[in-house]
C-alpha cells in the first residue's frame, strides 16, 4: 500500500476491533456506558464500510483471545482501528487495559500478569503489518492501579511532574481519552455515552476530514465540557504521511463550482 496517499481506496480494507468492559467483578468498579459506547461506535463504523469485531465484558484470557483472533484476520495494508472503553491504568510509563476479572489484581506489582499491555499490542501489529495504518483509541483512565481504585468514580485528577514521553511507531496514531495521571469520565447517568465517546460520535462519520483534524475536534469538545478536567492526548506516528480520511464523500461538480467561484 502507498501510505503517502489519502485515498481510502489504497487500503485493502477497513477493520475495527472494539472492546467494552462494563460489568467488572469488583462491585466498586462497575461502569455504566461502555457497552453503549462500543455498540454506538460499532454501528457508525459499519456505515463507514468498516468490518467490525465487537466484544463486551471480557476476562483476561478472553481479551487475549480477542486480540489473537482479530490479528489473524488482518491483511497487511488494512486500515486498522482499535477502540477500548473500560478501566485502564498506567504504571512506569506503560498503559494497561483492565479485563472484567479484576479481582485477581492484588496490587500494582502484580498487575502485568492480569491485564493487557496496550503498547505491546500496538508494536506487535506495527511490525506484523508494516503497510497498514493503525489507530488506537483508548477510552480509559491513566492513573496507577492503586490510585485509580481509591479515586474511581470521582471527577478528579492526580498531578505529577513527570512528562508524558509516550512514543508510537511510524504508521500509527494513538489517542488517549485523558492525559497522563487523569481520570476518563464514564459520563452522566442521564446520558447514553461516556464523555469521550459522546464527542467521538459527534465527529466520527463526518466525511473528508483528516484524521488529525477529526480528533482535534473531539479532544477540544471533551476539554470544554469537562472544564479542562479531562484533556485527551494524541500521539502521531503519521508525521510524514499525507492526510488520512476515515470516510470520504466525493463532491459533485456543482458543489465544486460553487466552492471555486470567484466574485
Amino acid at each position: 500500500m502507498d501510505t503517502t496517499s489519502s485515498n481510502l481506496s489504497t487500503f485493502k480494507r477497513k477493520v475495527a476491533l472494539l472492546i467494552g468492559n462494563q460489568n467488572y467483578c469488583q462491585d466498586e468498579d462497575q461502569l455504566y456506558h461502555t457497552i453503549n459506547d462500543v455498540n454506538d461506535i460499532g454501528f457508525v463504523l459499519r456505515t463507514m464500510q468498516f468490518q467490525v469485531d465487537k466484544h463486551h465484558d471480557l476476562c483476561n484470557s478472553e481479551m487475549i483471545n480477542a486480540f489473537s483472533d482479530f490479528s489473524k484476520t488482518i491483511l497487511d495494508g488494512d486500515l486498522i482501528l482499535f477502540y477500548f472503553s473500560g478501566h485502564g491504568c498506567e504504571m512506569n510509563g506503560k498503559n494497561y487495559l483492565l479485563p472484567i476479572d479484576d479481582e485477581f489484581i492484588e496490587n500494582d506489582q502484580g498487575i502485568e500478569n492480569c491485564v493487557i499491555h496496550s503498547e505491546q499490542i500496538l508494536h506487535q501489529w506495527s511490525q506484523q503489518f508494516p503497510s497498514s495504518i493503525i489507530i488506537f483509541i483508548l477510552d480509559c483512565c491513566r492513573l496507577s492501579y492503586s490510585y485509580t481504585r481509591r479515586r474511581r468514580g470521582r471527577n478528579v485528577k492526580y498531578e505529577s511532574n513527570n512528562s508524558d514521553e509516550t512514543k508510537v511507531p511510524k504508521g500509527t496514531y494513538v489517542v488517549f481519552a485523558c492525559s497522563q495521571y487523569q481520570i476518563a469520565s464514564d459520563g452522566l447517568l442521564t446520558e447514553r455515552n461516556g464523555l469521550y465517546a459522546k464527542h467521538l460520535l459527534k465527529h466520527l462519520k463526518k466525511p473528508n476530514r483528516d484524521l488529525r483534524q477529526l480528533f482535534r475536534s473531539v479532544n477540544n469538545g471533551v476539554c470544554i465540557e469537562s472544564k479542562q478536567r479531562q484533556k485527551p492526548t494524541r500521539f502521531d506516528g503519521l508525521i510524514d504521511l499525507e492526510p488520512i480520511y476515515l470516510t470520504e464523500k466525493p463532491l459533485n461538480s456543482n458543489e465544486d463550482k460553487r466552492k471555486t467561484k470567484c466574485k
Side-chain angles (χ1 to χ4, degrees), residues 85-235:
S85 182
H87 285 308
C89 63
E90 183 167 327
M91 294 286 298
N92 302 318
K94 298 178 181 178
N95 289 277
Y96 299 100
L97 313 179
L98 273 58
I100 62 167
D101 52 344
D102 58 340
E103 76 272 24
F104 297 113
I105 306 174
E106 296 182 358
N107 51 48
D108 291 345
Q109 287 68 40
I111 196 170
E112 290 202 21
N113 296 325
C114 304
V115 295
I116 301 297
H117 183 195
S118 61
E119 284 97 341
Q120 191 175 70
I121 302 291
L122 179 69
H123 283 269
Q124 177 184 327
W125 285 358
S126 177
Q127 293 172 7
Q128 194 173 355
F129 310 109
S131 296
S132 291
I133 296 296
I134 304 171
I135 305 164
F136 266 41
I137 307 171
L138 305 179
D139 193 353
C140 55
C141 298
R142 298 182 66 192
L143 297 169
S144 70
Y145 180 72
S146 58
Y147 192 90
T148 302
R149 291 296 300 275
R150 293 197 301 271
R151 294 294 187 181
R152 195 159 284 162
R154 304 180 192 177
N155 196 12
V156 299
K157 67 178 180 180
Y158 169 72
E159 298 288 357
S160 170
N161 294 324
N162 296 334
S163 60
D164 193 344
E165 298 180 351
T166 300
K167 293 181 174 61
V168 298
K170 184 176 180 179
T172 69
Y173 193 85
V174 178
V175 183
F176 290 97
C178 60
S179 295
Q180 193 176 34
Y181 307 113
Q182 281 191 333
I183 284 177
S185 171
D186 189 34
L188 300 174
L189 290 177
T190 54
E191 297 191 339
R192 177 173 173 82
N193 299 107
L195 178 60
Y196 189 85
K198 170 185 173 181
H199 287 273
L200 179 60
L201 287 163
K202 286 181 180 179
H203 297 277
L204 187 58
K205 196 178 178 181
K206 294 180 179 179
N208 306 328
R209 299 190 71 189
D210 175 44
L211 189 68
R212 304 167 185 86
Q213 180 187 11
L214 186 155
F215 282 105
R216 191 180 301 118
S217 298
V218 174
N219 294 2
N220 288 342
V222 172
C223 285
I224 292 170
E225 182 167 344
S226 68
K227 295 181 171 60
Q228 307 296 320
R229 293 188 181 94
Q230 181 175 331
K231 299 179 181 179
T233 308
R234 296 165 289 147
F235 297 93

